Amino acid sequence: MMNPKAISKQTLLRLPSYLSYLKSLPEHGCENVSATMIASALGLNDVQVRKDLACVSKKGRPKLGYVTEELISDIESFLGYDDLNDAIIIGAGRLGGALLSYEGFNEYGLNIVAAFDVDESKIGTEICGKKVLDISKIKELCKRMKIRIGIITVPGHSAQKVCDILVDSGIFAIWNFAPVHLKVPDNILVQQENMAASLAVLSAHLAESIKKNEI
Amino acid sequence: MMNPKAISKQTLLRLPSYLSYLKSLPEHGCENVSATMIASALGLNDVQVRKDLACVSKKGRPKLGYVTEELISDIESFLGYDDLNDAIIIGAGRLGGALLSYEGFNEYGLNIVAAFDVDESKIGTEICGKKVLDISKIKELCKRMKIRIGIITVPGHSAQKVCDILVDSGIFAIWNFAPVHLKVPDNILVQQENMAASLAVLSAHLAESIKKNEI
DNA sequence: TAGATTGTTAATCGATTAACAATC
DNA sequence: TAGATTGTTAATCGATTAACAATC
């Protein structure tokens, strides 16, 4: 599409679940798929699904729905899953290690090339074949390899410092697992992975359920 | 409060960031804090912050703002951070291990008591002092210890099966790290930790930046 | 054809923001 | 007092849903 209509953030967030649902369908017998099907499988409204799909794919056909294969590849290419973005990870602790060793990211177009840490005992080692480097080398590596994504998995108190280094190194987008609000220039995206917020939702629901059940 | 007004999900999601900001303030010299301060530190609208705080704490005072200490403890108690909820984790792989060994959850009122797996080589071992048990023992443990939170860190293809076991075991809330939509009865909450969605936002932003910069 | 499904236009809903009087 | 800040009411904004004609 030459002039894609601006896509809402909500829509963007739903696309990956459509994709994962579509991929879970059996190869045979599902050449076509309707918005109604997708919506009911994911607990969404069918009009919403149709509108979302209209942003990224061709028109569906009345009575038939969409061509499953086309839908999959359109969503994948819209999300940029078909070419890999290199990324680095800062903080080679438990969480950093878990992310480093998660093979699945390649499927989502993310390729983690190296990790950085300040801990001397970690520097020089490898985690799942990825080198752990001294944090002072971030800028040089980012420039040389044109890295544009940084993943922050350091403790909260040093996250802003790491963030500043990343910005200075020419990073465009930051995926932040530290539970702090990062200050960045306007053109840089921070995607906050907010586990504390998720937990808040869980525990509020729990408190409510308990109240209901025990009264 | 006897009759707390219903709190919006958005508000609930913002509360943890207020809390983390408030806790980051220096002990001395910040007896009071204004909604304006919080808003500008976190990049939010000040009226929004005021409305959010009104849901969980006492009134602020014109010109002075809120009492920092009171605000902290009101938010903490609203979020249930002051008493621990026991939880179990299903899937003792890399991610499960990372979560198991993250000490910080206690601060958020979450206490992971054990892990479960199907892998014989993992069963019977310990990760950070937490036992890894056979998945067939879930129900018995949940009933006996009145566990109400389950954390799913198994691969996508077995997530629904694990979910069904959890529901059958009397769990009220599920924190799901597997990238699939879980089907549960109405009264059970599924909090989806959606890394694929986060990545979608990142990569869409990146694609846009690149386009802008390279044209 | 009949009926399922599409895309679009209009109505609804909920959340955010603006305006403003009240207060310390 | 003057000015910063509060809480509330009204206006705006954006996203979701309902209604409906078009289509295979």
Side-chain angles (χ1 to χ4, degrees):
Chain A
M1 244 176 268
M2 277 284 89
N3 182 18
K5 60 182 85 170
I7 191 173
S8 89
K9 179 148 184 194
Q10 312 300 320
T11 296
L12 192 50
L13 290 170
R14 280 187 296 263
L15 290 175
S17 34
Y18 299 157
L19 188 57
S20 110
Y21 170 71
L22 293 171
K23 285 186 159 177
S24 78
L25 292 174
E27 291 281 320
H28 294 289
C30 292
E31 282 73 25
N32 291 285
V33 63
S34 74
T36 323
M37 267 175 76
I38 303 180
S40 90
L42 301 177
L44 299 171
N45 179 289
D46 61 321
V47 180
Q48 185 171 65
V49 173
R50 241 168 256 131
K51 284 199 169 173
D52 287 345
L53 296 181
C55 296
V56 300
S57 190
K58 342 184 148 44
K59 300 216 163 192
R61 286 165 54 187
K63 174 90 169 152
L64 275 177
Y66 305 82
V67 180
T68 311
E69 275 308 314
E70 281 181 13
L71 218 43
I72 290 181
S73 72
D74 284 345
I75 296 178
E76 281 185 337
S77 86
F78 185 90
L79 293 177
Y81 288 179
D82 42 14
D83 44 20
L84 281 182
N85 285 310
D86 287 339
I88 55 170
I89 198 164
I90 300 88
R94 299 246 173 208
L95 181 59
L99 297 179
L100 266 176
S101 60
Y102 179 52
E103 319 264 323
F105 285 139
N106 274 325
E107 236 181 276
Y108 300 128
L110 188 79
N111 181 40
I112 303 176
V113 297
F116 292 86
D117 208 298
V118 284
D119 182 345
E120 302 260 323
S121 72
K122 284 178 189 152
I123 295 169
T125 64
E126 287 197 354
I127 299 177
C128 282
K130 316 270 170 76
K131 286 223 173 84
V132 180
L133 305 171
D134 188 299
I135 211 159
S136 67
K137 305 226 168 92
I138 291 181
K139 188 166 181 177
E140 187 262 322
L141 186 98
C142 284
K143 296 284 181 192
R144 180 159 54 81
M145 296 192 61
K146 299 213 166 93
I147 307 282
R148 297 201 178 98
I149 298 181
I151 305 171
I152 298 183
T153 53
V154 300
H157 59 82
S158 40
Q160 183 64 56
K161 208 167 57 191
V162 165
C163 173
D164 294 342
I165 297 175
L166 289 174
V167 170
D168 180 52
S169 305
I171 286 276
F172 282 170
I174 293 173
W175 197 8
N176 183 31
F177 286 79
V180 285
H181 175 83
L182 298 177
K183 295 212 169 110
V184 293
D186 271 353
N187 57 326
I188 308 237
L189 178 86
V190 174
Q191 178 65 23
Q192 185 68 33
E193 195 67 38
N194 206 335
M195 306 228 185
S198 298
L199 270 172
V201 176
L202 275 184
S203 94
H205 171 82
L206 207 58
E208 210 183 313
S209 302
I210 291 173
K211 207 194 288 171
K212 272 190 203 154
N213 281 22
E214 294 195 347
I215 280 176
Chain B
M1 241 176 270
M2 277 285 86
N3 181 17
K5 62 181 85 169
I7 191 172
S8 90
K9 180 148 182 193
Q10 313 300 320
T11 297
L12 193 50
L13 290 170
R14 281 188 294 266
L15 290 175
S17 35
Y18 298 157
L19 188 57
S20 111
Y21 170 71
L22 293 171
K23 284 186 162 179
S24 77
L25 293 174
E27 290 281 320
H28 293 290
C30 292
E31 281 74 25
N32 290 284
V33 64
S34 75
T36 324
M37 269 175 76
I38 301 178
S40 91
L42 301 177
L44 299 171
N45 179 287
D46 60 322
V47 180
Q48 186 171 64
V49 174
R50 239 167 258 132
K51 284 198 172 176
D52 287 346
L53 296 182
C55 297
V56 300
S57 188
K58 342 185 147 45
K59 300 215 160 190
R61 286 165 52 186
K63 175 87 170 158
L64 277 176
Y66 305 80
V67 179
T68 311
E69 276 308 314
E70 281 180 11
L71 218 44
I72 291 180
S73 72
D74 284 346
I75 297 179
E76 282 184 338
S77 85
F78 185 89
L79 293 177
Y81 287 180
D82 41 14
D83 44 20
L84 282 181
N85 285 312
D86 287 339
I88 56 170
I89 198 164
I90 298 87
R94 298 245 174 210
L95 181 58
L99 296 179
L100 267 177
S101 60
Y102 179 52
E103 317 265 322
F105 284 139
N106 274 325
E107 237 180 276
Y108 300 128
L110 189 78
N111 183 41
I112 303 177
V113 297
F116 292 86
D117 209 296
V118 283
D119 182 346
E120 301 259 323
S121 72
K122 283 177 189 152
I123 295 170
T125 65
E126 288 199 354
I127 300 178
C128 283
K130 317 269 171 74
K131 286 222 173 86
V132 180
L133 306 172
D134 188 300
I135 212 160
S136 67
K137 304 228 171 90
I138 291 180
K139 188 166 181 179
E140 187 261 322
L141 187 97
C142 284
K143 297 284 180 193
R144 181 160 53 82
M145 295 191 63
K146 297 209 167 97
I147 307 283
R148 299 202 177 96
I149 298 182
I151 305 172
I152 298 182
T153 54
V154 300
H157 59 82
S158 40
Q160 183 65 56
K161 207 168 53 189
V162 164
C163 172
D164 294 341
I165 297 175
L166 288 175
V167 169
D168 179 52
S169 306
I171 286 277
F172 282 171
I174 293 174
W175 197 8
N176 182 31
F177 285 79
V180 285
H181 174 82
L182 298 177
K183 297 214 168 108
V184 293
D186 271 354
N187 57 326
I188 307 238
L189 178 86
V190 174
Q191 177 65 25
Q192 185 67 32
E193 196 67 36
N194 205 334
M195 306 229 185
S198 298
L199 269 170
V201 176
L202 274 183
S203 95
H205 172 82
L206 208 57
E208 211 183 311
S209 301
I210 290 172
K211 207 192 290 171
K212 273 190 201 155
N213 281 21
E214 292 192 350
I215 280 175

